[in-house]
Amino acid sequence: MAGMDVEMRGNAIDEMLKKKRDLNPLPEPETLDDLVQGLKIIFQDNEINVEEVNEYMSKYKTNAREWYKYAKFDHHRYTRNLVDQGNGKFNLIVLCWGEGQGSGIHSHSDSHCFMKVLDGTLDETMYSWPSDSEDERELQKTETHSYGKDSVAYINDSMGLHRVENSSHTNTAVSLHLYSPPFDMVECFDQRTGHRKKVRVTFYSKFGQRTPFPDQGPTCTEQADVARTGCTSVETLEPENN
Amino acid sequence: MMYEDDVPPENRVDLAYSGLDLFPEHLSEKADRIQSLHLNNNRILVLPRAVSLFQELRHLDISANGLTHVSGELTHLPNLRTFIAKNNLLEDGALPKELGRCLSLQVLNLSGNGFMEFPEQIEGMAGLRALYFGANRLRTVPSEIKHMSRLEILYLGGNQISSLPLEVGSLSSLMSLVLCDNRLESIPPHLARLRNLRSLSLHNNRIAALPSEIIALRNLTELSLRGNPLVVNFVRDLSYDPPTLLELAGRGVKNSGIPYGEGDVPPNLYRYLSLARKCPNPKCTGVYFDARVKQIKFFCNIYA
């Protein structure tokens, strides 16, 4: 019965949205500014139709001149460049991926996450959540996807964890991410053990201005804190067989 | 583009994706104002001698053209800082022999071509700051790379490199070293000398163990290791046959340097003491007789 209620409620919301849009259609997202305005309208409501956001973001056709000022690359890791704070309802961020750069495996803080590729190609590898048991176990890969220019992907915590990377050794990649509600912490997971750690996500630039963060702390790239923990080689003992 | 900030927009010419079949020599009429030239994604198969007409040129991008040959006249450009020729059809011998004469060159990008050998002329380029050689067919890196003392970025991802010369550790300016998607089985411990290294990309190789000294690098904040057969677990159960009392006594005598002569101990013991063997571990100054520690180096699981 609860399932039916959810479905009925979903249908009611869709009906209401349809009426709303018939009265006030969203602006065609011909430019990045149009897209931001339309997204602000969509996210005014408390109920979000994921399909609608997906379609709307797909309609915008990437134009480098419009996002060029946010496209700041770093030699050592991917960057997050804030575009808009969506009246508090979402963060719109441009991510810049140099050749071979990728994220760690992470979750999404119970938020909706949309990713649109603006340039290049991004590969996504999805993983199941680690089990609640104490066991150290390798994370299980579930799906992989490759996203080209203008494609839109969506993820939330119920779908699992993922790693996003630019696998190209010759081309950079740029993506536009929408996170709603906005968050500044993610959980980053160790592929071999399933261990997780909380990581604060920071901005490389905001509204086109570089914003260096005084002390980065751990980041959600693959293993930023490895150098700190230290490790030495270990000897085993074996009797000599004469 | 990251590198172009020193050129005002009016001195940049963008002819990317323009269906060009030939290098636009006619632009040389305005050569005194052209500092940055984008010719990527056309069908320019040869970078001709006419390129030397553009004496003010600082940045040249001729990527994705099916380029097979780069004329030596390129080296006659006194201000050339950036040369990007990625995703072309360049092979061994395609670069001008005199490329090393291009003293102003700071950034060289040859990713996505067909080089099998590291070009000799690049080895001597002591002024080069960034070298992108991803997705080619390199199998080795020459030890002469040590001459590239200003190198800050070295991108070698996506090749077939199976080992690195220890001389890579001499590149003291190196901040970013990318070696992912290769065939490396080990990393020379000399890389621990790279005090300025901030990022090291090693994912998708065949590395079984990492030299522990790498961890000491204070500036290293980005390190990727996934997709390597790094041994995962500590060997937890250490079961072994303990040395005999005779062995322990013998070690005690030898390690403490207790002086003894033939008459001081029974002949069988004297003979026994003469059999002491030096421990193979260079850090250990001890000796052993029968029970020996067999060293297996492996790598702990703090790393993902």
Side-chain angles (χ1 to χ4, degrees):
Chain A
M1 297 310 129
M4 278 284 282
D5 286 338
V6 167
E7 201 183 316
M8 280 167 60
R9 193 158 161 269
N11 288 339
I13 292 169
D14 284 347
E15 285 284 322
M16 186 196 68
L17 260 182
K18 190 169 178 307
K19 283 198 186 123
K20 228 184 182 178
R21 300 289 180 245
D22 285 344
L23 278 174
N24 285 314
L26 295 169
E28 282 303 306
E30 285 174 10
T31 67
L32 183 58
D33 280 342
D34 294 337
L35 179 64
V36 173
Q37 294 322 308
L39 287 169
K40 281 178 170 163
I41 294 170
I42 292 175
F43 280 88
Q44 261 166 12
D45 295 322
N46 289 327
E47 308 290 356
I48 304 302
N49 183 329
V50 167
E51 277 307 314
E52 180 180 45
V53 178
N54 229 309
E55 276 176 33
Y56 194 66
M57 286 183 74
S58 294
K59 277 192 192 168
Y60 169 64
K61 295 307 164 207
T62 178
N63 180 342
R65 251 164 263 180
E66 289 166 8
W67 43 260
Y68 178 74
K69 67 189 241 201
Y70 307 110
K72 301 181 192 305
F73 288 81
D74 188 281
H75 289 297
H76 307 291
R77 48 154 301 161
Y78 72 93
T79 63
R80 305 172 83 251
N81 304 276
L82 183 64
V83 175
D84 200 282
Q85 285 173 308
N87 296 331
K89 293 297 184 78
F90 61 82
N91 271 348
L92 194 65
I93 308 171
V94 163
L95 269 67
C96 294
W97 315 77
E99 298 91 326
Q101 289 177 350
S103 75
I105 301 172
H106 59 276
S107 59
H108 296 86
S109 276
D110 286 327
S111 293
H112 298 285
C113 300
F114 298 85
M115 171 177 89
K116 180 188 179 71
V117 176
L118 298 176
D119 193 28
T121 304
L122 286 172
D123 294 330
E124 175 189 42
T125 308
M126 295 183 66
Y127 297 83
S128 319
W129 282 87
S131 72
D132 284 332
S133 74
E134 289 294 313
D135 292 351
E136 279 186 2
R137 208 179 305 168
E138 195 164 338
L139 292 180
Q140 296 303 306
K141 258 184 225 190
T142 54
E143 299 168 38
T144 57
H145 301 277
S146 197
Y147 297 104
K149 244 192 240 196
D150 282 330
S151 60
V152 180
Y154 170 78
I155 195 171
N156 67 47
D157 280 347
S158 74
M159 294 162 60
L161 316 171
H162 73 178
R163 178 199 309 283
V164 178
E165 63 189 311
N166 174 14
S167 312
S168 173
H169 296 296
T170 58
N171 297 334
T172 57
V174 180
S175 51
L176 182 69
H177 295 238
L178 185 152
Y179 298 114
S180 177
F183 55 82
D184 60 0
M185 292 271 258
V186 281
E187 284 188 312
C188 233
F189 294 76
D190 179 319
Q191 181 169 2
R192 284 200 198 188
T193 60
H195 288 161
R196 69 186 79 181
K197 65 176 190 260
K198 283 197 166 48
V199 172
R200 180 174 295 280
V201 284
T202 58
F203 294 116
Y204 196 76
S205 74
K206 288 186 185 177
F207 318 114
Q209 297 295 319
R210 175 82 174 92
T211 49
F213 206 78
D215 177 13
Q216 286 282 354
T219 55
C220 195
T221 48
E222 206 181 297
Q223 297 112 139
D225 58 348
V226 160
R228 305 294 149 255
T229 55
C231 172
T232 54
S233 60
V234 175
E235 297 163 309
T236 63
L237 298 178
E238 257 182 47
E240 164 149 83
N241 295 322
N242 281 328
Chain B
M1 297 298 113
M2 266 206 289
Y3 54 83
E4 244 184 346
D5 294 340
D6 60 328
V7 172
E10 58 267 25
N11 291 356
R12 299 180 200 167
V13 174
D14 187 348
L15 287 172
Y17 298 93
S18 300
L20 299 176
D21 290 317
L22 291 171
F23 182 82
E25 293 179 31
H26 61 276
L27 287 177
S28 60
E29 289 165 28
K30 305 204 176 89
D32 57 337
R33 268 185 286 144
I34 298 178
Q35 292 179 309
S36 173
L37 185 52
H38 293 265
L39 295 174
N40 54 291
N41 297 87
N42 284 294
R43 285 186 301 268
I44 303 169
L45 305 183
V46 167
L47 184 60
R49 294 162 65 179
V51 69
S52 64
L53 296 170
F54 295 81
Q55 288 285 301
E56 296 303 314
L57 203 54
R58 292 194 193 177
H59 311 295
L60 176 59
D61 185 342
I62 196 163
S63 302
N65 271 279
L67 196 70
T68 56
H69 178 73
V70 175
S71 145
E73 309 292 310
L74 182 74
T75 67
H76 295 181
L77 297 175
N79 299 307
L80 191 67
R81 300 225 186 119
T82 310
F83 181 54
I84 305 181
K86 62 184 189 181
N87 293 324
N88 278 304
L89 298 172
L90 299 172
E91 294 182 356
D92 298 337
L95 295 176
K97 293 265 175 289
E98 334 84 272
L99 188 63
R101 273 200 231 145
C102 212
L103 297 174
S104 54
L105 201 61
Q106 292 181 0
V107 177
L108 179 57
N109 189 327
L110 298 168
S111 294
N113 280 289
F115 289 95
M116 293 180 66
E117 306 261 321
F118 197 95
E120 258 183 53
Q121 54 271 62
I122 296 182
E123 289 164 13
M125 296 182 79
L128 207 63
R129 283 173 146 196
L131 176 61
Y132 296 87
F133 229 126
N136 274 277
R137 296 201 208 122
L138 299 177
R139 265 171 271 166
T140 54
V141 176
S143 55
E144 287 83 356
I145 200 172
K146 68 180 184 238
H147 296 127
M148 303 182 75
S149 48
R150 292 257 179 86
L151 209 56
E152 295 170 4
I153 316 276
L154 180 56
Y155 194 107
L156 293 169
N159 280 288
Q160 296 160 12
I161 300 170
S162 52
S163 71
L164 277 185
L166 53 94
E167 284 82 359
V168 175
S170 307
L171 299 171
S172 49
S173 302
L174 210 58
M175 296 203 288
S176 172
L177 178 56
V178 180
L179 294 162
C180 56
D181 292 300
N182 272 290
R183 297 180 188 175
L184 289 167
E185 293 175 11
S186 66
I187 301 293
H190 305 75
L191 257 57
R193 290 162 56 194
L194 298 173
R195 299 248 165 270
N196 287 310
L197 200 65
R198 294 213 262 155
S199 58
L200 177 57
S201 171
L202 294 173
H203 60 272
N204 300 335
N205 271 286
R206 300 174 187 177
I207 301 170
L210 264 198
S212 49
E213 298 90 322
I214 299 279
I215 317 315
L217 290 172
R218 291 277 133 224
N219 289 312
L220 188 63
T221 54
E222 305 297 334
L223 171 60
S224 66
L225 291 171
R226 66 194 142 88
N228 279 290
L230 296 172
V231 179
V232 172
N233 292 312
F234 283 110
V235 172
R236 292 197 189 284
D237 49 348
L238 310 174
S239 51
Y240 62 101
D241 289 337
T244 59
L245 285 175
L246 175 62
E247 163 102 34
L248 290 172
R251 287 191 197 174
V253 168
K254 284 293 199 181
N255 290 342
S256 308
I258 297 172
Y260 64 92
E262 244 182 310
D264 298 325
V265 287
N268 60 322
L269 288 182
Y270 187 85
R271 201 167 42 248
Y272 181 79
L273 286 169
S274 69
L275 293 174
R277 285 169 280 188
K278 190 154 184 336
C279 179
N281 181 346
K283 289 191 186 148
C284 176
T285 52
V287 298
Y288 70 98
F289 295 85
D290 297 306
R292 187 167 71 134
V293 171
K294 194 165 179 179
Q295 275 191 18
I296 298 176
K297 273 197 166 60
F298 57 81
F299 194 74
C300 75
N301 189 33
I302 299 176
Y303 302 81

